Amino acid sequence: MHQVSLDYGALFDLVDMGVFVVEPETARLLDANACALAMTRCTMDELRNLPLEHFLTSEPGYSVADAVTWVRKAASEGRQKLRWQGRDLQGGIYWVDVVLQAVTTGTQTVILALCRNATHDRAQEQSLFEAEARYRAIVEAFDGLIYICSGDYQVEYMNQHFIDRTGRSAIGELCYRALHGRDTICPWCVNDRVQAGETVRWEVKSPLDNRWYYIVNTPLRHADGRISKQALIIDVTDRRQAEEQRRALEQKMRETQRFESLGHLAGGVAHDFNNLLLVMLGQMDLVLNSLPADSALRENLQEGINAAQHASGLCRQMLTYAGKNVFKPQVIDLNVHVRDVESLLRLSVSRQAELVLDLSSDSARMSGDPSQLQQVIMNLVINASESLEGRTGRIVVRTGSGRFTPDELACRWLHQPPAVGDYAWLEVSDTGIGIPEEHFPHLFDPFFSTKFTGRGLGLAAVLGIVRGHQGSIQ
């Protein structure tokens, strides 16, 4: 057998990490290999003779006292592992992963400090720490809800806003049960698409609070290959309501502008046509007065005059719709006015209709044009009668007075609702077939009718009169 002689000094220098020999009581550096000298950028003499402070930083936890504590701990308790910050003689800072091990040679015990350069690892760890800190700051500052769940629907994370909303941390629970109160997977869940790597954006109405939420679901990839779903959730209920209100307001503006355009058109046509009718009536009256009493032409001429007068009446209704009729207001009691036209109303409705007057016991005084108000009452009651379509039914005319709010006075057919205040009101209801929803936008259009051609000025005139009286209609 051959005896092999080992040169431990040569092996000491061949080790690819810094090795320091340290005195166990004072942590004084006794020896070092070439790698350790390169790490500290010093010579062996400098290492042995310079105070320990030259190789340490002043950062808390890395002082001479801290070094002595670690060395003594290794001597008394055995091997120690730590991350240490050092300084070379040129002032450069470096990080090392250190293993401290007590070694006895003969009667002397020293501490071997095995140091692996960890400066790059430390930089990566610091970068990762800062990135995580930034992410956490963003998450916690996000004015919405954030949660992360696994592929099997287990909640892995909730931000504080979500915890506040649910009243507890639901980490470890099934997401559909903890967040939506369901016993089965949500039918709108997109977890399978996220697991496939897709980012999904959508809006959903939560069954818990009936509010709308905008959700961005993104895949969150783990180092072991797993994918979790990260959901960023924003409450958009107020935004949706604002959009709906804006669309409703735009629709109302369009309808109002259309009514105003129709009013200008109807008023212009009616005014010019009425002037022509006046000339025609005047000429026919002259011819009629010049004919002998027994002339056969008198009857034909009188029919022409009657037709022209009827056409003139239609022109007046068109002018009423356009708000161009002469308005003669006076203080009247709406209850008394309805009573005055009761007999005329009963003659106007069908025989199968029961007309009921439910008038207020209090006075319903208002300022208005009696003849125009009569036209409103007549038109509404006749419309109610026609809605019965010959069947037995009931028509109720109600009156009253009171103070109305802006919401109660709002009208889709008026551009500007009347001012808040005290108003007298008239209501006509019937048990007829009602008005189809699709007819509402055209309800007050001149000549719009579901009956037959030549009708359709009644409600148009009602709207014009209500507008002229600075009222509202529902």
Side-chain angles (χ1 to χ4, degrees):
M1 176 178 287
H2 298 283
Q3 184 175 1
V4 179
S5 177
L6 297 178
D7 185 349
Y8 290 101
L11 290 176
F12 186 63
D13 282 332
L14 287 174
V15 175
D16 190 21
M17 65 172 60
V19 181
F20 295 89
V21 180
V22 184
E23 202 280 323
E25 284 298 320
T26 63
R28 184 169 63 88
L29 299 177
L30 303 175
D31 200 358
N33 69 350
C35 187
L37 294 176
M39 190 179 294
T40 55
R41 296 187 180 186
C42 70
T43 65
M44 185 63 72
D45 288 340
E46 291 171 329
L47 181 82
R48 290 171 174 169
N49 297 316
L50 288 175
L52 189 58
E53 290 87 345
H54 286 73
F55 302 99
L56 301 178
T57 68
S58 58
E59 293 293 325
Y62 306 102
S63 66
V64 173
D66 295 311
V68 170
T69 299
W70 278 108
V71 168
R72 290 178 178 177
K73 193 172 184 181
S76 61
E77 299 178 12
R79 175 178 293 193
Q80 303 293 320
K81 294 182 180 181
L82 63 145
R83 172 69 59 83
W84 188 259
Q85 184 187 67
R87 182 178 63 179
D88 61 40
L89 287 188
Q90 296 183 16
I93 303 298
Y94 61 89
W95 288 89
V96 286
D97 287 330
V98 182
V99 176
L100 297 176
Q101 178 68 54
V103 177
T104 301
T105 57
T107 60
Q108 184 182 14
T109 298
V110 295
I111 303 298
L112 289 183
L114 308 179
C115 303
R116 184 185 66 84
N117 195 317
T119 303
H120 180 67
D121 294 346
R122 173 71 181 187
Q124 286 186 322
E125 291 171 2
Q126 185 66 23
S127 177
L128 182 62
F129 174 80
E130 292 174 355
E132 182 180 350
R134 284 195 299 269
Y135 174 77
R136 185 172 296 278
I138 292 171
V139 165
E140 295 304 328
F142 178 66
D143 191 22
L145 311 176
I146 300 178
Y147 78 94
I148 299 172
C149 74
S150 63
D152 56 356
Y153 307 100
Q154 299 282 337
V155 177
E156 298 177 328
Y157 171 80
M158 298 170 65
N159 72 339
Q160 189 60 46
H161 289 301
F162 219 141
I163 293 174
D164 293 341
R165 178 180 181 269
T166 58
R168 73 185 197 285
S169 174
I171 294 175
E173 300 180 30
L174 293 171
C175 60
Y176 51 81
R177 184 171 298 158
L179 307 183
H180 298 291
R182 295 178 56 86
D183 293 326
T184 58
I185 297 172
C186 304
W188 58 81
C189 184
V190 295
N191 199 19
D192 54 342
R193 295 168 61 183
V194 175
Q195 290 297 317
E198 182 181 354
T199 295
V200 185
R201 295 173 174 85
W202 56 306
E203 290 187 4
V204 65
K205 189 175 186 180
S206 172
L208 278 183
D209 55 12
N210 290 321
R211 295 185 69 82
W212 284 93
Y213 294 92
Y214 174 70
I215 305 175
V216 180
N217 299 277
T218 55
L220 192 64
R221 292 175 171 82
H222 299 277
D224 59 4
R226 292 182 302 109
I227 295 179
S228 295
K229 181 187 75 173
Q230 176 179 263
L232 279 70
I233 307 170
I234 302 174
D235 189 328
V236 294
T237 306
D238 294 341
R239 188 205 72 193
R240 288 178 68 100
Q241 290 176 346
E243 289 176 352
E244 290 172 1
Q245 292 172 356
R246 177 181 57 79
R247 285 194 293 268
L249 181 60
E250 290 176 350
Q251 178 63 24
K252 183 178 179 180
M253 289 289 292
R254 285 193 292 268
E255 290 180 356
T256 301
Q257 291 169 355
R258 183 169 59 84
F259 278 119
E260 289 178 350
S261 299
L262 285 172
H264 289 307
L265 177 62
V269 171
H271 184 270
D272 292 343
F273 189 55
N274 197 49
N275 289 339
L276 295 174
L277 287 174
L278 290 175
V279 175
M280 293 169 62
L281 284 170
Q283 294 299 319
M284 285 189 287
D285 276 337
L286 290 175
V287 174
L288 184 63
N289 291 331
S290 66
L291 290 176
D294 58 350
S295 173
L297 297 176
R298 291 183 67 88
E299 183 177 352
N300 295 334
L301 197 58
Q302 186 60 53
E303 289 183 1
I305 291 173
N306 292 341
Q309 288 174 341
H310 179 66
S312 181
L314 292 176
C315 287
R316 284 193 297 274
Q317 290 194 61
M318 292 176 67
L319 287 169
T320 298
Y321 169 77
K324 296 184 178 180
N325 254 353
V326 178
F327 184 62
K328 300 177 180 178
Q330 62 186 69
V331 177
I332 59 174
D333 189 323
L334 192 55
N335 294 331
V336 175
H337 197 64
V338 173
R339 287 290 185 192
D340 289 344
V341 297
E342 179 181 359
S343 58
L344 187 58
L345 293 176
R346 297 192 182 280
L347 290 174
S348 302
V349 302
S350 66
R351 294 180 179 179
Q352 288 76 23
E354 177 191 5
L355 179 64
V356 179
L357 301 185
D358 183 12
L359 305 183
S360 170
S361 58
D362 299 325
S363 174
R365 295 172 66 82
M366 60 169 290
S367 175
D369 187 310
S371 62
Q372 292 190 11
L373 291 176
Q374 177 179 328
Q375 187 177 353
V376 167
I377 299 169
M378 289 294 298
N379 286 344
L380 293 178
V381 170
I382 290 172
N383 262 35
S385 176
E386 290 177 346
S387 74
L388 299 177
E389 296 185 335
R391 295 187 293 269
T392 301
R394 201 164 187 254
I395 301 171
V396 181
V397 178
R398 295 186 177 88
T399 61
S401 61
R403 190 166 186 83
F404 287 80
T405 66
D407 289 340
E408 293 170 328
L409 293 170
C411 173
R412 65 184 294 180
W413 297 284
L414 296 175
H415 175 58
Q416 194 72 17
V420 175
D422 297 322
Y423 290 84
W425 54 266
L426 171 77
E427 177 186 281
V428 178
S429 61
D430 61 73
T431 58
I433 59 174
I435 303 172
E437 183 66 28
E438 62 269 19
H439 290 169
F440 270 91
H442 308 286
L443 202 57
F444 294 97
D445 288 3
F447 301 110
F448 174 77
S449 176
T450 58
K451 306 298 188 302
F452 49 83
T453 304
R455 299 293 302 277
L457 279 175
L459 288 182
V462 168
L463 180 62
I465 293 171
V466 169
R467 186 191 295 126
H469 281 73
Q470 297 181 345
S472 182
I473 188 167
Q474 302 292 336

